[in-house]
Amino acid sequence: MSKANAESFLGSVNRNFDKAATYTELPKGILEQIKVCNAVYEMKFPVRIGDEIQVIHAFRAQHSHHRLPTKGGIRYNEHVDKEEVEALAALMTYKCAIVDVPFGGAKGGVKINPKLYSEYQLERITRRYTTELIRKNFIGPGIDVPAPDYGTGSREMAWIYDTYLSFRGGDIDAAGCVTGKPINQNGIRGRTEATGRGVYYGLRELCDTAEAMKRVGLPLGIAGKTVVIQGLGNVGSYTGSIMQLEGKARIIAVSEYEGAIYREEGIDFEELLRYRASNKGSIIGFPGTTALSSREAALELECDILVPAALENQITEENAPRVKAKIIGEAANGPVTSGAEEILLKKGVLIVPDMYLNAGGVTVSYFEWLKNLSHMRFGRMEKRFDSNTYSNFVGLIEKLTQQSIGEREREFLTRGADEIDLVRSGLEETMVTSFQQIWETFRQNPKIDGLRSAAFVTALDKISNDYANLGIFP
Ligand code: NAD
């Protein structure tokens, strides 16, 4: 991705915003305040790498302070720049509003290629970046709470937490300064899979909506739908696994950095992930599949659902005319440019927008933050109580019917919920409810051109309400 592309990513987000704004009756000044990025901290700091000192360039953008703390991932990528971080922070604001997570949007970026550094060097960079954020008051459980994004994961979040703790040891809520932490360091079960699982719930909901399937000429239900996935990182790998295992969808092609593979009958996704791990990180040569001419070729295959889960600006005005998918599920942030969207909408493609579809990560990050502030794991208070109550019910039914229930059924019926059950249930509820809000907005306003504009309209409505409640706008 070139710098020009990154700039057009921000342009794309803003163009989408402006288009959606025309469907609302909000005054110009309010729209302008919602659209602008409130604060950006651009930093350069030295880190010793081997025998030399390297100057690292990094950012943290806080797009909107209408709710606090602000929230958003940290990306490690050599193409990171100010506009990209601002675009991603803006998407976070709209995303949080759509799924009713009470945060403003933020995003961080460190301009490095993490593959070129050792684990020790990455730790030094991460800790120094965190120190910069602490110095400028750009991090804290009530200020701004980072999370993983492209190129980062729970390991980096643990370093951030530990660095924060060493500066703010007396802060009883310190664990809430970052989410996506390892479970044994105040993380939450289900966070790693959350974005992919949310993508699955969102697409399943769309496929279960009769009117939506009628529009694209497909049968109801996600089972049997042909799927192409771009990117096998955190988001793409969980999306693919869950779509196949729980949704019974058929994944016919996968694209990664090293190339793309295809199999009409469907690829065993779990096997593929294992193969890649044992094959020097390459999917090429996976038994039973054919290699495509390029990694981009996968985006142009005939399929029901295309899931870009890598980076922004993957479907542009150049390749959009050749895209044959009926549904595009934006697991990544900004994979379809605004120019490409115009072409795809004219072709009748349903685009499920990033700001809704990949909101599972921030939703479960919200649960993690709540867990950190309450200092207690979910389910601890009620699990035994629920289990005993269900047990009493089962006993009563047995007594009334004079029939005994088998051991396996009893275990199933009398189980109290664990943390992972509650997290998944909260995530499913969030994705289903938010989908219905967006779909209703879309359905009730025939002028609205697609689900992205509908998602924007629901976000703008909620954010402007927040400002009104704060007494800032009339
Ligand atoms: P990741 O670093 O874990 O994985 C990204 C994968 O995409 C890598 O395996 C990379 O090799 C691959 N890739 C890069 N360019 C490619 C290309 N041109 N073709 C095919 N594959 C390519 O990152 P991630 O955390 O999975 O994030 C992916 C996207 O999802 C990003 O846009 C990110 O902002 C978004 N997102 C992530 C989260 C999260 O919780 N991690 C939450 C919301 C949104």
Side-chain angles (χ1 to χ4, degrees):
M1 184 188 31
S2 68
K3 186 166 185 300
N5 271 343
E7 274 167 355
S8 77
F9 177 30
L10 180 60
S12 205
V13 171
N14 285 339
R15 268 192 299 282
N16 287 332
F17 179 100
D18 292 340
K19 182 171 62 173
T22 64
Y23 301 121
T24 74
E25 281 166 10
L26 292 169
K28 195 164 162 278
I30 294 178
L31 289 167
E32 186 58 22
Q33 174 55 45
I34 296 175
K35 184 175 163 187
V36 293
C37 185
N38 289 175
V40 187
Y41 176 28
E42 177 169 0
M43 63 204 98
K44 288 180 181 161
F45 50 82
V47 178
R48 178 175 285 284
I49 302 292
D51 293 337
E52 58 171 37
I53 302 286
Q54 264 186 34
V55 179
I56 305 289
H57 196 175
F59 307 85
R60 182 74 183 171
Q62 296 175 349
H63 173 260
S64 179
H65 293 142
H66 73 289
R67 289 216 174 189
L68 288 171
T70 51
K71 186 99 189 67
I74 294 178
R75 173 174 285 199
Y76 285 2
N77 185 274
E78 60 208 317
H79 300 298
V80 158
D81 65 13
K82 185 164 165 274
E83 288 75 16
E84 182 183 82
V85 174
E86 281 188 25
L88 290 161
L91 285 179
M92 282 304 296
T93 295
Y94 312 132
K95 196 178 296 187
C96 291
I98 287 166
V99 291
D100 292 319
V101 163
F103 298 137
K107 204 78 177 193
V110 181
K111 195 176 174 59
I112 55 165
N113 177 351
K115 293 193 179 110
L116 302 181
Y117 296 88
S118 68
E119 187 171 356
Y120 174 68
Q121 291 165 347
L122 285 172
E123 180 175 348
R124 291 193 72 135
I125 293 170
T126 307
R127 287 185 181 277
R128 183 59 206 256
Y129 175 66
T130 312
T131 309
E132 291 295 323
L133 296 178
I134 295 168
R135 278 186 183 159
K136 290 285 187 292
N137 219 16
F138 259 66
I139 184 171
I143 299 169
D144 187 356
V145 183
D149 190 67
Y150 189 92
T152 61
S154 59
R155 179 185 66 173
E156 285 74 13
M157 303 307 116
W159 292 332
I160 292 174
Y161 173 37
D162 188 57
T163 310
Y164 185 84
L165 259 187
S166 57
F167 280 82
R168 302 264 197 272
D171 180 351
I172 195 167
D173 292 328
C177 76
V178 62
T179 59
K181 302 178 292 294
I183 289 158
N184 61 6
Q185 286 179 61
N186 292 291
I188 193 167
R189 284 165 188 79
R191 173 59 184 90
T192 315
E193 63 166 28
T195 308
R197 180 165 284 282
V199 170
Y200 164 65
Y201 289 144
L203 289 172
R204 187 195 65 187
E205 209 48 31
L206 176 84
C207 293
D208 283 342
T209 304
E211 199 186 328
M213 290 304 99
K214 205 169 142 208
R215 277 173 187 259
V216 288
L218 289 173
L220 261 188
I222 198 160
K225 293 260 180 318
T226 53
V227 180
V228 173
I229 295 193
Q230 181 201 37
L232 283 184
N234 171 284
V235 179
S237 60
Y238 281 106
T239 300
S241 292
I242 299 170
M243 279 181 88
Q244 187 167 68
L245 286 173
E246 295 181 25
K248 310 288 176 220
R250 178 153 55 101
I251 297 168
I252 57 165
V254 171
S255 169
E256 242 301 333
Y257 218 77
E258 61 274 12
I261 54 169
Y262 175 79
R263 184 169 183 263
E264 181 59 30
E265 302 77 29
I267 295 168
D268 184 334
F269 202 78
E270 293 281 300
E271 246 338 288
L272 175 66
L273 294 177
R274 276 192 286 274
Y275 175 83
R276 188 168 190 244
S278 65
N279 188 39
K280 298 191 187 111
S282 176
I283 56 173
I284 305 301
F286 183 59
T289 61
T290 316
L292 297 175
S293 57
S294 69
R295 61 182 186 225
E296 291 81 18
L299 304 174
E300 299 171 19
L301 287 172
E302 191 103 40
C303 65
D304 297 331
I305 309 176
L306 170 63
V307 182
L311 276 174
E312 58 268 20
N313 295 354
Q314 298 302 303
I315 302 169
T316 62
E317 282 168 76
E318 194 278 315
N319 59 359
R322 300 190 298 277
V323 168
K324 298 177 200 73
K326 299 199 171 63
I327 298 165
I328 297 180
E330 291 189 328
N333 283 310
V336 177
T337 65
S338 61
E341 174 149 310
E342 271 178 40
I343 298 169
L344 295 165
L345 290 178
K346 279 191 195 128
K347 295 206 302 186
V349 179
L350 266 178
I351 302 173
V352 192
D354 46 9
M355 64 178 87
Y356 158 68
L357 196 64
N358 67 33
V362 75
T363 302
V364 177
S365 274
Y366 170 47
F367 300 158
E368 180 177 334
W369 181 77
L370 289 174
K371 174 184 178 181
N372 295 151
L373 298 192
S374 71
H375 302 268
M376 190 164 58
R377 105 181 119 72
F378 289 107
R380 179 171 170 181
M381 296 289 274
E382 62 274 43
K383 182 177 165 162
R384 293 281 151 186
F385 179 80
D386 288 348
S387 178
N388 290 338
T389 308
Y390 304 149
S391 223
N392 290 339
F393 267 129
V394 168
L396 187 65
I397 292 168
E398 283 182 323
K399 201 169 144 196
L400 290 174
T401 59
Q402 298 287 311
Q403 289 196 15
S404 71
I405 288 172
E407 239 354 90
R408 278 187 65 188
E409 283 81 9
R410 177 186 300 276
E411 214 180 298
F412 177 72
L413 290 171
T414 61
R415 206 169 70 86
D418 280 318
E419 183 172 83
I420 185 73
D421 304 313
L422 294 168
V423 164
R424 285 181 179 164
S425 146
L427 174 60
E428 185 172 8
E429 166 64 15
T430 304
M431 295 307 293
V432 169
T433 310
S434 303
F435 177 83
Q436 282 161 1
Q437 282 175 3
I438 295 169
W439 186 259
E440 271 316 291
T441 306
F442 181 52
R443 228 174 46 85
Q444 284 172 12
N445 298 278
K447 282 195 209 140
I448 292 185
D449 63 346
L451 293 176
R452 189 187 318 279
S453 292
F456 257 116
V457 170
T458 61
L460 291 177
D461 195 37
K462 292 178 187 179
I463 299 168
S464 60
N465 259 334
D466 277 350
Y467 273 118
N469 291 337
L470 289 172
I472 296 171
F473 298 145

